[in-house]
Amino acid sequence: MNDQTDRVPILNSEQMVLEGYRSWCFGIKHRDPWFFEKITKMCVSNFGREKGLILENALTDFTRTIGLCAACPLKTNPPGFVGLCLDEVLILGLLSGIQNDDEAVITLCLDKLACPVRCGRVLLAAKEFADELKKVGNLLLPISADTIRW
């Protein structure tokens, strides 16, 4: 899996979430530490060592939590893929809803992502990640409930 270059581009908020989530999932799936190293490089390159490592930790906690608490196994595209799958839209929607104080979007995404007894746990991890993104100036664009439903 290490045939990729070590170049780390500056990413916008949505790309940061997607590439981090996808890389973490593929690191677990393929048992390849290169994906985790990519996340560290991405976070540190974009936000500096201290803030980058804090953000990486929040991303890891969120991704691990959503993976354990999902209503069913979540799907994801490979890192670098241009399109979005439904679960990725829901993850972006959840984080965007938190950052933009949109309770309807938060509830809709949580209901589709997590089993009911674990929604609270997912929400806590998502809030921590969304807050850390916000602290480093990484704000996700609002996503409407209609877009999520569609």
Coordinates of all heavy atoms in Angstrom, one line a residue, residues 63-98:
T63 N -13.5 8.1 15.1 CA -13.6 7.0 14.1 C -13.7 5.7 14.8 O -14.5 4.8 14.4 CB -12.3 7.0 13.2 OG1 -12.2 8.3 12.6 CG2 -12.4 6.0 12.1
R64 N -12.9 5.5 15.9 CA -13.0 4.2 16.7 C -14.4 4.1 17.3 O -15.0 3.0 17.2 CB -11.9 4.2 17.7 CG -11.8 2.9 18.5 CD -10.7 3.0 19.5 NE -9.4 3.0 18.9 CZ -8.5 3.8 19.2 NH1 -8.6 4.7 20.2 NH2 -7.3 3.8 18.6
T65 N -14.9 5.2 17.8 CA -16.2 5.1 18.5 C -17.3 4.8 17.5 O -18.2 4.0 17.7 CB -16.5 6.5 19.2 OG1 -15.5 6.7 20.2 CG2 -17.9 6.4 19.9
I66 N -17.3 5.5 16.4 CA -18.4 5.3 15.3 C -18.3 3.9 14.8 O -19.3 3.3 14.5 CB -18.3 6.4 14.2 CG1 -19.6 6.4 13.4 CG2 -17.1 6.3 13.3 CD1 -20.8 7.0 14.0
G67 N -17.1 3.4 14.7 CA -16.9 2.0 14.2 C -17.5 1.0 15.2 O -18.1 0.0 14.8
L68 N -17.3 1.2 16.5 CA -17.8 0.3 17.5 C -19.3 0.5 17.7 O -20.0 -0.5 18.1 CB -17.1 0.5 18.8 CG -15.6 0.2 18.8 CD1 -15.0 0.6 20.1 CD2 -15.4 -1.3 18.6
C69 N -19.9 1.6 17.5 CA -21.3 1.9 17.9 C -22.2 2.0 16.7 O -23.4 2.3 16.8 CB -21.3 3.3 18.6 SG -20.4 3.3 20.2
A70 N -21.7 1.7 15.5 CA -22.6 1.8 14.3 C -23.7 0.8 14.3 O -23.5 -0.3 14.9 CB -21.7 1.6 13.1
A71 N -24.8 1.2 13.8 CA -26.0 0.3 13.7 C -25.6 -0.9 12.8 O -26.1 -2.0 13.0 CB -27.2 1.0 13.2
C72 N -24.8 -0.7 11.8 CA -24.3 -1.8 11.0 C -22.9 -1.4 10.4 O -22.6 -0.2 10.6 CB -25.3 -2.1 9.8 SG -25.5 -0.7 8.7
P73 N -22.2 -2.3 9.9 CA -20.8 -1.9 9.4 C -20.9 -0.7 8.4 O -21.7 -0.7 7.5 CB -20.3 -3.2 8.7 CG -21.0 -4.3 9.4 CD -22.4 -3.7 9.7
L74 N -20.1 0.3 8.7 CA -20.1 1.5 7.9 C -19.3 1.3 6.7 O -18.2 0.6 6.7 CB -19.6 2.7 8.7 CG -20.4 3.1 9.9 CD1 -19.8 4.3 10.6 CD2 -21.9 3.4 9.5
K75 N -19.7 1.9 5.6 CA -18.9 1.9 4.3 C -18.1 3.1 4.2 O -18.5 4.2 4.7 CB -19.9 1.7 3.2 CG -20.7 0.4 3.3 CD -21.4 0.0 2.0 CE -22.1 -1.3 2.1 NZ -22.6 -1.8 3.3
T76 N -17.0 3.0 3.5 CA -16.2 4.2 3.1 C -15.5 3.9 1.8 O -15.2 2.8 1.4 CB -15.2 4.5 4.3 OG1 -14.5 5.7 4.0 CG2 -14.2 3.4 4.4
N77 N -15.2 5.0 1.2 CA -14.3 4.9 -0.1 C -12.9 5.0 0.3 O -12.5 5.4 1.4 CB -14.7 6.1 -1.0 CG -16.1 6.0 -1.6 OD1 -16.4 5.0 -2.1 ND2 -16.9 7.0 -1.4
P78 N -12.0 4.6 -0.6 CA -10.6 4.6 -0.3 C -10.1 6.1 -0.2 O -10.7 7.0 -0.8 CB -9.9 3.9 -1.5 CG -10.9 3.8 -2.5 CD -12.3 4.0 -1.9
P79 N -9.0 6.3 0.5 CA -8.4 7.6 0.6 C -8.1 8.2 -0.8 O -7.7 7.4 -1.7 CB -7.1 7.4 1.4 CG -7.4 6.2 2.2 CD -8.2 5.3 1.3
G80 N -8.4 9.4 -1.0 CA -8.2 10.1 -2.3 C -9.3 9.9 -3.3 O -9.3 10.6 -4.3
F81 N -10.3 9.1 -3.0 CA -11.5 8.9 -3.9 C -12.2 10.2 -3.9 O -12.4 10.9 -2.9 CB -12.3 7.8 -3.4 CG -13.4 7.4 -4.3 CD1 -13.1 6.5 -5.4 CD2 -14.7 7.8 -4.2 CE1 -14.1 6.1 -6.2 CE2 -15.7 7.4 -5.0 CZ -15.4 6.5 -6.1
V82 N -12.8 10.6 -5.1 CA -13.4 11.9 -5.3 C -14.9 11.9 -4.8 O -15.3 12.8 -4.2 CB -13.4 12.3 -6.8 CG1 -14.2 13.6 -7.0 CG2 -12.0 12.5 -7.2
G83 N -15.6 10.8 -5.0 CA -17.0 10.8 -4.6 C -17.3 10.4 -3.1 O -16.3 10.2 -2.4
L84 N -18.5 10.5 -2.7 CA -18.9 10.2 -1.4 C -19.9 9.0 -1.4 O -20.8 9.0 -2.2 CB -19.6 11.4 -0.7 CG -18.8 12.7 -0.6 CD1 -19.8 13.8 -0.2 CD2 -17.8 12.5 0.4
C85 N -19.8 8.2 -0.3 CA -20.9 7.2 -0.1 C -21.8 7.7 1.0 O -21.5 8.7 1.6 CB -20.2 5.8 0.3 SG -19.5 5.8 1.9
L86 N -22.9 7.1 1.1 CA -23.9 7.5 2.1 C -23.4 7.7 3.5 O -23.6 8.7 4.2 CB -25.1 6.6 2.1 CG -26.2 6.9 3.1 CD1 -26.8 8.3 2.9 CD2 -27.3 5.9 3.1
D87 N -22.6 6.7 4.0 CA -22.1 6.8 5.3 C -21.2 8.0 5.5 O -21.1 8.7 6.6 CB -21.4 5.5 5.8 CG -22.4 4.4 5.9 OD1 -23.6 4.6 6.1 OD2 -22.0 3.2 5.8
E88 N -20.4 8.3 4.5 CA -19.5 9.5 4.5 C -20.3 10.8 4.6 O -19.9 11.7 5.3 CB -18.6 9.5 3.3 CG -17.5 8.4 3.4 CD -16.7 8.2 2.1 OE1 -17.2 8.7 1.1 OE2 -15.7 7.6 2.2
V89 N -21.4 10.8 3.8 CA -22.3 12.0 3.9 C -22.9 12.2 5.3 O -22.9 13.3 5.8 CB -23.4 11.9 2.9 CG1 -24.5 13.0 3.0 CG2 -22.9 12.0 1.4
L90 N -23.2 11.1 5.9 CA -23.8 11.1 7.3 C -22.8 11.6 8.3 O -23.1 12.3 9.2 CB -24.4 9.7 7.7 CG -25.6 9.3 6.9 CD1 -25.9 7.8 7.2 CD2 -26.8 10.2 7.1
I91 N -21.5 11.1 8.1 CA -20.5 11.5 9.0 C -20.2 13.0 8.9 O -20.1 13.8 9.9 CB -19.2 10.7 8.8 CG1 -19.5 9.3 9.4 CG2 -18.0 11.3 9.4 CD1 -18.4 8.3 9.0
L92 N -20.1 13.5 7.6 CA -19.9 14.9 7.4 C -21.1 15.7 7.9 O -20.9 16.8 8.5 CB -19.7 15.2 5.9 CG -18.4 14.8 5.3 CD1 -18.5 15.0 3.8 CD2 -17.3 15.7 5.8
G93 N -22.3 15.2 7.7 CA -23.5 15.8 8.2 C -23.5 15.9 9.7 O -23.9 17.0 10.3
L94 N -23.1 14.9 10.4 CA -23.1 14.9 11.9 C -22.1 16.0 12.4 O -22.5 16.8 13.2 CB -22.7 13.5 12.4 CG -22.5 13.4 13.9 CD1 -23.8 13.7 14.7 CD2 -22.0 12.0 14.2
L95 N -20.9 16.0 11.9 CA -19.9 16.9 12.3 C -20.3 18.4 11.9 O -20.2 19.3 12.7 CB -18.6 16.6 11.8 CG -18.0 15.2 12.3 CD1 -16.8 14.8 11.4 CD2 -17.7 15.3 13.7
S96 N -20.9 18.5 10.7 CA -21.3 19.8 10.3 C -22.5 20.3 11.2 O -22.6 21.5 11.6 CB -21.8 19.8 8.8 OG -22.5 20.9 8.5
G97 N -23.4 19.4 11.5 CA -24.6 19.8 12.3 C -24.1 20.2 13.7 O -24.7 21.2 14.2
I98 N -23.1 19.6 14.2 CA -22.6 20.0 15.5 C -22.0 21.4 15.4 O -22.3 22.2 16.3 CB -21.6 18.9 16.0 CG1 -22.3 17.6 16.4 CG2 -20.8 19.5 17.2 CD1 -21.4 16.4 16.6

